[in-house]
Amino acid sequence: MTDDSVSDHDQAIIDETIEFAAVHVAPHTNRWERDRRFASEAFDQLGSASLGGLRVPVDLGGRGIGDVAFVRVLEELASVDQGVALSFVVHNNMARAVVDSGNATMIAEWLPSLVSGERIGSFLLTEPGIGSDATAITCSARRDGNDWVLDGEKAWAASGSHAGALNVFAQTDPALKHRGVVSILVDATAPGVTRTAPYELMGGHAAGAAGFEFDGVRVPIANTLAPVGEAFAEAMKGINLARIVVGAMCCGMLRRSLQVAVEYTKSRPLFGGTVSDKQGVRWMLADAATDLEAMRLLTYRAARLQADGADATLMASHAKKFASRKAEERIRDCMQVMGAAGYRTDGADNPLPRHLAAARMTGYIDGATEIQNVLIARSLWP
């Protein structure tokens, strides 16, 4: 049994999320993917559904959800659409960053619009030529009077196609490497900010992944979210929860894929019986069920460590690596037992092709699988 028990308060939010996904996400998923566009219909309802500030304390207008319940929320959303879940977690983490690191003015001016969904938040660390080695970022920030002046590019920003609040990580002094990084809150409509076209991907278009270019963008020093010397550590501080969330997304996608495959094989006639009568089919799905249980055990063990304030670094890496690998493998098996029907993308009741593409994506986001192996190997040879 997974340790994913939560309080009544948090369970109510999970239940609200399940309803939100059924009403505002599920009816649009295939169209978002077909049209290759951001899940705007879902995010338009963020404020009315009170899901824009899940990690924001109640006294600041948020919901004050716990870490384990937050992971559960993302599992439920990803079971319907992983792209929506990805943008959802980035937005909610952005709101939490303003609470944790913002000054009083920043909290007053930016937090209400994030909680209400009026502004969508995005996290800008990755660059076109900089991925896993985030210490090598080249987007620059130089001081000029009471302003920062930003120049450079950022890439792979979830919700980038529609984000209004940008958490931009920039280098103030390349010689200082990670110690020279600063985090600045930037209005996406500021002069000199250019939003690139959304990426055309194998899947996950609902996340609205895009990039930004900064050309002499002036931002008040007061918009410093994490100062020089602390910003890089702040970026890394949230990485464990991010990796745990990716594990949960994989659990949600495989769980739904397994449900669809079981129902299909029970109803599909074959040689005087049904597809589900065949032992080979049963064993393929039994293996998927075993891996799902293992994925959830790893993921929620890591989530509980995180919630308890323990070091979840190693367990988060195990969970993300195992879950992303097994989700891709077992969703493919779920498609296989459905035959050609599993390959169709024109039915609202078959999310498997979308989930398979999204499972492939999880091998890259929040630290590629190889980065997880680096961390795990360090634990073997400290």
Side-chain angles (χ1 to χ4, degrees), residues 27-279:
H28 307 289
T29 52
N30 285 345
R31 182 158 49 85
W32 290 331
E33 199 58 56
R34 183 187 67 239
D35 296 345
R36 299 189 172 194
R37 68 178 184 84
F38 180 64
S40 54
E41 290 87 344
F43 277 82
D44 286 346
Q45 302 300 319
L46 203 62
S48 60
S50 299
L51 298 177
L54 289 184
R55 303 188 66 219
V56 172
V58 174
D59 60 359
L60 290 176
R63 304 297 297 276
I65 198 171
D67 284 347
V68 174
F70 187 58
V71 172
R72 283 271 304 279
V73 161
L74 274 301
E75 178 182 341
E76 295 299 338
L77 275 176
S79 72
V80 181
D81 191 283
Q82 187 267 350
V84 173
L86 179 59
S87 284
F88 192 89
V89 66
V90 169
H91 173 83
N92 274 277
N93 284 344
M94 172 78 169
R96 178 58 182 264
V98 172
V99 171
D100 288 344
S101 303
N103 53 48
T105 300
M106 200 180 297
I107 290 172
E109 291 182 358
W110 291 79
L111 189 61
S113 61
L114 287 168
V115 171
S116 70
E118 178 185 350
R119 275 190 176 122
I120 298 173
S122 191
F123 180 88
L124 277 62
L125 180 64
T126 303
E127 299 180 359
I130 304 296
S132 297
D133 184 9
T135 65
I137 60 175
T138 61
C139 181
S140 67
R142 62 179 176 85
R143 289 197 64 158
D144 183 19
N146 293 322
D147 291 339
W148 289 112
V149 180
L150 292 174
D151 289 284
E153 296 181 65
K154 290 295 179 180
W156 295 105
S159 302
S161 62
H162 285 67
L166 313 178
N167 185 2
V168 181
F169 289 80
Q171 180 60 262
T172 63
D173 183 351
L176 294 176
K177 297 185 178 179
H178 70 280
R179 293 184 298 275
V181 175
V182 66
S183 163
I184 306 168
L185 194 54
V186 180
D187 187 330
T189 65
V193 178
T194 302
R195 194 189 312 264
T196 69
Y199 301 149
E200 294 192 14
L201 307 170
M202 179 178 168
H205 291 95
F212 287 88
E213 297 173 356
F214 301 92
D215 183 9
V217 179
R218 302 188 73 91
V219 186
I221 295 294
N223 277 29
T224 302
L225 198 55
V228 176
E230 298 179 18
F232 187 79
E234 285 297 313
M236 295 299 102
K237 189 168 68 175
I239 198 67
N240 287 341
L241 181 59
R243 289 169 178 165
I244 295 165
V245 162
V246 172
M249 291 178 186
C250 291
C251 291
M253 290 189 290
L254 179 53
R255 190 188 75 209
R256 180 57 184 150
S257 298
L258 186 58
Q259 291 170 344
V260 170
V262 168
E263 289 303 314
Y264 179 86
T265 58
K266 284 195 303 184
S267 62
R268 172 75 176 190
L270 181 68
F271 302 133
T274 66
V275 172
S276 63
D277 293 331
K278 305 305 175 185
Q279 186 180 62

Side-chain angles (χ1 to χ4, degrees), residues 239-240 243-244 302 312-321 372:
I239 198 67
N240 287 341
R243 289 169 178 165
I244 295 165
T313 302
L314 179 60
M315 194 54 57
S317 288
H318 280 308
K320 181 187 184 295
K321 182 181 85 167
Q372 310 317 310

